[in-house]
Amino acid sequence: MSISMKPLGARVVVEPLEQEEITAGGIVLPETAKEKPQKGKIIAVGAGDRDEKGNRIPMDVKVGDTVLFAKYGGTEIKIDGKKLLILRESDLLAIID
Amino acid sequence: MSISMKPLGARVVVEPLEQEEITAGGIVLPETAKEKPQKGKIIAVGAGDRDEKGNRIPMDVKVGDTVLFAKYGGTEIKIDGKKLLILRESDLLAIID
Amino acid sequence: MSISMKPLGARVVVEPLEQEEITAGGIVLPETAKEKPQKGKIIAVGAGDRDEKGNRIPMDVKVGDTVLFAKYGGTEIKIDGKKLLILRESDLLAIID
Amino acid sequence: MSISMKPLGARVVVEPLEQEEITAGGIVLPETAKEKPQKGKIIAVGAGDRDEKGNRIPMDVKVGDTVLFAKYGGTEIKIDGKKLLILRESDLLAIID
Amino acid sequence: MSISMKPLGARVVVEPLEQEEITAGGIVLPETAKEKPQKGKIIAVGAGDRDEKGNRIPMDVKVGDTVLFAKYGGTEIKIDGKKLLILRESDLLAIID
Amino acid sequence: MSISMKPLGARVVVEPLEQEEITAGGIVLPETAKEKPQKGKIIAVGAGDRDEKGNRIPMDVKVGDTVLFAKYGGTEIKIDGKKLLILRESDLLAIID
Amino acid sequence: MSISMKPLGARVVVEPLEQEEITAGGIVLPETAKEKPQKGKIIAVGAGDRDEKGNRIPMDVKVGDTVLFAKYGGTEIKIDGKKLLILRESDLLAIID
């Protein structure tokens, strides 16, 4: 998927992945009332925030990473009919394989 | 469009762009209840905030950039009958082409 | 107008300007429910806040500047029957010509 | 007035001044619902807050200054039947003549 | 248990341990209304947050540690039918043996 | 009064003083609804908070000082039937004679 | 009492002490509605928080200290039937003898 979008600061663009209900090795969200993460693929990464000296703080994720992120976060957009999310890196919980 | 307005600090002046409902390659806002971004063109850029030593932190956007920004943010003004927004750079989500 | 008032810190004294309803090149406030800025002239400028080393952070505005500022901010005073506002510089949005 | 009171940190002791309703050159509070400042004379000044290195940040006001301050702030005390206020310097808006 | 998940920042992945009600030397949660911690085993550790210079702040826990953590914290996920928690290190209270 | 108590950080132990209603030179609390300070004597002083380098920030008060402090602050204890208060130095308003 | 628990960061483990109602030299909590401290003995001390350079900020308390602490704070655990509390050092008010 070609995307011509550059997230600003420490933001990333994530394409949400459908979640299998039960799989061996897959991530399955429980049925409880706790906050549930979502799985997605990173398709664009910002340059990172600046530290107090104005230098960029490097991002810990890169394009292609599959990540878990908090469900409530981010801003939803649509490109070519595809639903995407703009999230801050701090809303990402973990990189999974 | 000539504009004689200098935003202060890390603020920018944005001219909102009308959003096509459905286009190939265009940004289309979904119909959900999530926060929806708007598209706009930057027509003026401030000098940037100062870091703790008093030096300017450079802005990541420039005049002419098309940006997505959070809908709720900013202050609305009108110049020559044109509706503009004064936003902080931190309210800008991404630069798009 | 002679004014013998020295704002403290990063504060300024602003004389609000009456807003023309519709003019070519003038600032006209829209009729929506969004936050609306006001136009004013700066008639006194503080020495600026101090950074963490105790040095003054220079002010970005000067006496005579015409500025847009958030309507809700500041403290209203009257001098010689003239209504003035004491505002923090961070409440100023832009310098206009 | 002799006062044996040393405000701590960046605090000052202010003696509120009665406000003339309408005078040429005097400060007159408007009748609107906005926050209204009060006028007072500084009669004691603290040593100032310490910066992150433990050095004192100098105070911008001195004993004898006439100041405007936000009405809501401070702590009211009485000495020799005189009502005084202990305020933080950040609650002072401007020095007037 | 093999887990292919890398927590981001100062986060850890914890496998909650069942709590024995009463044991000599075991941790037993009281029956009061106070906040109660849970016991768990750390199965993955992030690289740590970055300090203001961009350097990593080392983590105080390692894979295999048994920890007490605040019950309310974290994000619940399931891997291979096993319930896990992604927590920030600051939500961990103590390492126990 | 001998007291074997060491306040931690920037805390002090204060013995509240009874307030005379009206005296020449004494502190008299007004009858208004504003926040009213209390008078007390400092009987123990902590070592002070640490700055960001781990050095102690010196305390501005010492044992024996009579101070004004905000009424709402602190933690009340009793030693030998005497009511004392543990307060942070930042809750102290002024040293009086 | 042997305890194999290492509090994380600036946390301590405290064993609450029963409070005598009225004793000469003892700490007695008053009957008012104000916040009341509790007395306890420190049985484990964390390594301390890290400053902005990653160095440990030394703890001001040590194992064996008797301390006063705010009642509301901390997390309650039970070890060998004994009720203990995990508290942050900043919730400790004073060391007493």
Side-chain angles (χ1 to χ4, degrees), chain D residues 2-73:
Chain D
S2 86
I3 176 176
S4 53
M5 185 184 308
K6 184 68 181 171
L8 285 160
R11 291 185 181 87
V12 297
V13 181
V14 170
E15 181 183 355
L17 298 178
E18 288 306 312
Q19 311 249 4
E20 309 81 8
E21 277 308 303
I22 295 175
T23 67
I27 301 296
V28 180
L29 299 186
E31 58 297 313
T32 73
K34 291 204 103 186
E35 174 202 341
K36 294 168 190 174
Q38 277 190 314
K39 202 162 61 167
K41 192 171 213 158
I42 293 186
I43 58 173
V45 175
D49 283 330
R50 291 173 189 277
D51 67 18
E52 57 178 27
K53 291 206 166 66
N55 300 318
R56 296 285 185 189
I57 301 168
M59 301 286 283
D60 290 335
V61 293
K62 61 181 187 307
V63 171
D65 282 348
T66 301
V67 292
L68 294 180
F69 55 91
K71 211 175 197 170
Y72 56 80

Side-chain angles (χ1 to χ4, degrees), chain G residues 11-28:
Chain G
R11 290 184 181 88
V12 296
V13 181
V14 170
E15 182 183 354
L17 299 178
E18 287 307 310
Q19 311 248 6
E20 310 81 8
E21 276 310 301
I22 295 175
T23 67
I27 301 293
V28 180

Side-chain angles (χ1 to χ4, degrees), chain A residues 4 20-21 81 84 89:
Chain A
S4 53
E20 309 81 8
E21 276 309 302
L84 302 176
E89 193 191 28

Side-chain angles (χ1 to χ4, degrees), chain C residues 71-87:
Chain C
K71 210 176 198 168
Y72 57 80
T75 303
E76 216 177 42
I77 57 172
K78 250 189 195 165
I79 294 195
D80 292 343
K82 198 166 283 209
K83 197 169 74 174
L84 302 175
L85 282 158
I86 305 179
L87 292 157

Side-chain angles (χ1 to χ4, degrees), chain A residues 75-92:
Chain A
T75 303
E76 216 176 43
I77 58 172
K78 251 191 195 164
I79 294 193
D80 293 342
K82 198 165 282 207
K83 197 170 73 176
L84 302 176
L85 282 158
I86 304 179
L87 291 158
R88 295 177 188 279
E89 193 191 28
S90 58
D91 288 329
L92 304 180

